[in-house]
Amino acid sequence: MAKSNELKLAVLPGDGIGPEITDATITVLKAAARRTGLKLTMKKGLFGWDGYKKHKTTIPDSTIKLLGEHEGWIVGPTYAGEYPKEDPYHGHPNGFIRKHFKLFANVRPVESFPQLKPLIPDLNIVVLRENTEGFYPDRNMAWGYGEFKPTDDVAISMRVITRKACERFARFSFAYAEALGINRISVVHKRTALQQSDGLFVGTFEEINKEFKKTKLELLRIDTFSSQFPREPHKYKLVATTNLFGDILSDQASGLAGGVGVAPSLNAGTDCAMAQAVHGTAPDIVGKGVANPSALIFSTALLCRWFYLRTKNKACLEAASLMEKGVKTALVNGVMTPDLGGKASSATFTKAIVSAINNAK
Ligand code: ATP
């Protein structure tokens, strides 16, 4: 574990706007660290296209080693499925990382900001998504791919749900609820149709609930939840669900809150966690100086909170809130990038965030 006042981070800038948003995020993180006395050490690694050009793979061995030596990672987006086919990880370097390092919990908080004209004001919900198995064909096999086409007219997708993955995810969910001071978890499932697999998922939550007696479990079918959530969005605080349902529900919540442009995510395991924005590489705006770094900044704030859960070092918590407040203050002051409806460049937006952090009371 990192020394209490030191954050040791690996940084993988990635493709497209990745280098632009990671640079802005590091500038903001450094400002927050200066205010809170956190000592930062950061090391950059090759990832995505840069890795491929140099080492013929989107995740070179040196990068895997670098990640293994650091508990916290800030990672940019990579092009989806555009790498040459001989790359063993082509199309899914992220899937590889999540599986290899057992980043089993994807944390997706969603908050609406009035400046972004949300469909639902005051939305504040966290979606926790199991990240290592389920309906993702690259994740549920030790060898091979979990989708088959026995004939041209027949396609089969396989979903794997294991007790081990459910248990670690359920424990993480209860611990996260306790850390946020939330006393109810809404477990979203389709046990009625997927009796064995979702039955195992829900049953494991019920079992692990015995270790976390203060937290109530609410079980909701995905269809019921989907129709109720937009009508009564404030009823739910913390949703825990399987991989594909979590992917869909977290994007739905982001859409209702004002779009994925500011949506953060943290991929957490037992010993390491990765901050990564939800959006992609935004190839249409690369190099134009207008990339919006908010989502990666919020994701890095989540990473600082994860460090706090491990070390109980209050400086990590303070740095996280300073970064979040910094972005919110820039938005309130009308300084925002074009994707958010403003006219500011990435540099101006970043400066406004840093200035808000420097001036925070
Ligand atoms: P990919 O193939 O990598 O997923 P994409 O363009 O299909 O890329 P996104 O990268 O999520 O998907 O982009 C969708 C749209 O949102 C694009 O028009 C892009 O410019 C815009 N966008 C996404 N992220 C940002 C950002 N951080 N700042 C500004 N605009 C963004």
Side-chain angles (χ1 to χ4, degrees), residues 120-142:
I120 297 179
D122 308 326
L123 185 62
N124 206 332
I125 186 169
V126 179
V127 178
L128 298 178
R129 162 188 175 192
E130 202 291 323
N131 221 12
T132 51
E133 49 186 30
F135 263 125
Y136 285 78
D138 63 318
R139 252 153 274 181
N140 56 24
M141 310 279 282

Side-chain angles (χ1 to χ4, degrees), residues 9 55 66 73 81 83 108 135 153 159 166 178 204 232 243 265 331 341 345 347 352 354:
L9 302 172
H55 298 284
L66 177 82
W73 320 329
Y83 302 110
R108 292 274 308 264
F135 263 125
D153 303 316
R159 183 171 92 136
C166 292
E178 281 188 357
T204 308
E232 295 179 283
N243 205 340
S265 102
L331 296 182
S345 65
V354 169

Side-chain angles (χ1 to χ4, degrees), residues 251-262:
D251 266 17
Q252 180 199 23
S254 301
L256 294 172
V260 292
V262 290

